[in-house]
Amino acid sequence: AARLRLVALIHHPLAFEQGLSPARRQSLEASERQALAAARRVIVTSPGTARDLQGYGVAAGRIGVVLPGTDPTPPAQGSGEAAPVLLCVATLTPRKGYLDLVAALQRLAGLPWRLDCAGSLERDAEHAKAVQAAVERAGLSDRIRFLGEIDEPTLLRHYDRSDLFVLPSHHEGYGMALAEAMAHGLP
C-alpha cells in the first residue's frame, strides 16, 4: 500500500451478505476495513454504498461514486403468452430474497403467471435447495423454473421475452439486473 496507488472497487461490503455466521461476518468486516484503509481511493457503484463505507472508516473524500451503465437495447417484446412471464435475475443466496418471492407468489397462486429465475444454483447450493423445496411446498413447481447460470445471449432473450421483472433482494449495492431490466423497458 505504501508503494502502490491502490484503488478499490466496491459494490457492497461482503459482511452485508445474509446467512453468514457472526464469526464470518466479523472476519469479512475486519478484512475489508484493512483492505480499504490501504486503498488511496475507493470507487463505489451507488450513493448508498458510499454511505455504508463511511461506517467502515473510509473518509467521504476518498470515495467516488460511479453508477454502472447498460448497453442501449430495444424494449422487450414480451412473452406473447396469456399469462405474464416474470423474470428474476439473481443468484440463489439468502440476500437475494427468493424465499420472500416464493411466499409472495404463493399468495398470487390464483392468478395466471409464470416465473423464470436466472442465476447460480451453486454459489450457495444449500440455500438453492431450500428455495427449491419452498417452491415444491408452495405447490408452484409447475410455474417457477430455475435456469441456473446462463450466458449473455440467452439472458438477453429472457429479458426480451418477459413481461415483468422482479428482484426481491434484501440489499443491493447497485442492482445491475434491475438496471438491465429497466433498459429493456420491463416494469
Side-chain angles (χ1 to χ4, degrees):
R3 185 175 59 85
L4 302 174
R5 292 176 169 250
L6 299 176
V7 176
L9 172 62
I10 306 292
H11 292 272
H12 69 270
L14 294 175
F16 282 27
E17 288 293 330
Q18 291 186 328
L20 299 173
S21 70
R24 181 69 175 140
R25 185 177 315 282
Q26 285 180 316
S27 173
L28 286 170
E29 184 175 334
S31 172
E32 287 183 308
R33 279 181 185 278
Q34 184 178 9
L36 292 171
R40 298 211 184 182
R41 294 281 297 161
V42 179
I43 307 298
V44 297
T45 56
S46 72
T49 300
R51 285 188 300 275
D52 292 339
L53 290 188
Q54 289 175 14
Y56 275 62
V58 181
R62 290 181 38 227
I63 299 173
V65 177
V66 179
L67 299 176
T70 59
D71 291 330
T73 184
Q77 297 298 305
S79 68
E81 297 180 20
V85 174
L86 289 69
L87 176 64
C88 183
V89 178
T91 59
L92 274 82
T93 59
R95 180 176 55 85
K96 296 298 185 175
Y98 273 100
L99 292 173
D100 295 325
L101 179 58
V102 171
L105 291 175
Q106 184 178 17
R107 294 190 342 231
L108 300 175
L111 298 173
W113 56 267
R114 182 173 56 84
L115 172 65
D116 287 334
C117 303
S120 175
L121 300 166
E122 297 170 7
R123 184 165 301 163
D124 187 337
E126 186 177 315
H127 184 72
K129 288 177 186 172
V131 171
Q132 291 169 321
V135 168
E136 285 188 35
R137 283 192 307 276
L140 300 174
S141 297
D142 60 332
R143 299 174 78 179
I144 298 178
R145 183 170 59 158
F146 295 99
L147 307 172
E149 287 189 41
I150 56 178
D151 61 23
E152 185 176 359
T154 304
L155 179 59
L156 292 175
R157 281 194 300 279
H158 278 281
Y159 276 121
D160 188 51
R161 295 178 185 156
S162 296
D163 301 302
L164 299 166
F165 184 78
V166 295
L167 187 65
S169 292
H170 295 267
H171 178 83
E172 290 288 335
Y174 182 88
M176 196 65 218
L178 182 60
E180 290 172 351
M182 290 189 317
H184 284 87
L186 289 173

